[in-house]
């Protein structure tokens, strides 16, 4: 069987590109890579590039009539940011504009806090223990 080399990037729709750039660079110490025209910016400094894409609220999201809504929404796909100091990370991202939705909680594998960005996208901060997810392996 032939193997296929793959990687991934993350694209995130936002209603205000300048505000999203400010949030993600302040909250996560990302830096601007390339500007891809007036409606997209590449942020670097994480394990994969994060592309912020200007997409106005109410604009078509699918061919079936779904439209973009930037109120707080739930999606099964979200970003987990792995950090060394979860308390400091919570302070930093909240100061940048995030909303803390679930305070830091202990798990067998480490600690987690659940937040949302200023554009309604949920994300988590994770601080792994020594074993990390290996603590869950049976």
């Amino acid at each position: 069987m032939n193997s296929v080399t793959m990687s991934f990037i993350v694209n995130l729709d936002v209603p205000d590109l300048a505000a999203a750039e400010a949030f993600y660079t302040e909250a996560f110490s990302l830096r601007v890579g390339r500007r891809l025209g007036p409606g997209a910016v590449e942020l670097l400094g994480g394990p994969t590039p994060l592309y912020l894409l200007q997409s106005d609220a109410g604009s078509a999201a699918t061919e079936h009539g779904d439209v973009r809504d930037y109120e707080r929404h739930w999606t099964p796909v979200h970003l987990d940011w792995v950090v060394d100091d979860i308390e400091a990370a919570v302070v930093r991202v909240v100061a940048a504009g995030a909303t803390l939705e679930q305070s830091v909680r202990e798990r067998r594998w480490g600690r987690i806090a659940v937040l949302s960005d200023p554009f309604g996208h949920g994300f988590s901060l994770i601080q792994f223990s020594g074993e990390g997810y290996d603590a869950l392996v049976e």
Side-chain angles (χ1 to χ4, degrees):
M1 175 187 259
N2 292 339
S3 65
V4 177
T5 302
M6 296 191 333
S7 65
F8 69 92
I9 59 174
V10 176
N11 291 295
L12 193 60
D13 290 355
V14 296
D16 183 333
L17 191 60
E21 179 183 327
F23 173 75
Y24 280 94
T25 56
E26 290 173 29
F28 300 106
S29 299
L30 299 177
R31 66 184 184 287
V32 173
R34 301 174 291 175
R35 294 196 183 277
L36 308 172
V41 64
E42 173 187 63
L43 298 180
L44 303 173
T48 191
L50 174 62
Y51 292 89
L52 301 176
L53 310 175
Q54 173 77 42
S55 299
D56 295 333
S59 62
T62 69
E63 294 179 359
H64 304 291
D66 295 320
V67 296
R68 287 175 179 84
D69 177 354
Y70 292 104
E71 297 299 318
R72 178 62 174 110
H73 55 275
W74 182 88
T75 178
V77 177
H78 63 274
L79 299 177
D80 285 344
W81 297 87
V82 179
V83 299
D84 292 330
D85 181 342
I86 198 165
E87 281 86 5
V90 167
V91 168
R92 181 182 182 124
V93 300
V94 168
T99 300
L100 180 63
E101 296 180 342
Q102 293 179 16
S103 298
V104 176
R105 296 170 305 186
E106 302 289 330
R107 296 290 185 252
R108 285 184 16 210
W109 47 263
R111 304 168 75 203
I112 184 171
V114 178
L115 303 98
S116 63
D117 74 7
F119 318 102
H121 306 303
F123 67 91
S124 298
L125 297 174
I126 292 178
Q127 180 180 343
F128 285 118
S129 63
E131 288 185 273
Y133 283 148
D134 284 344
L136 302 176
V137 176
E138 296 181 12

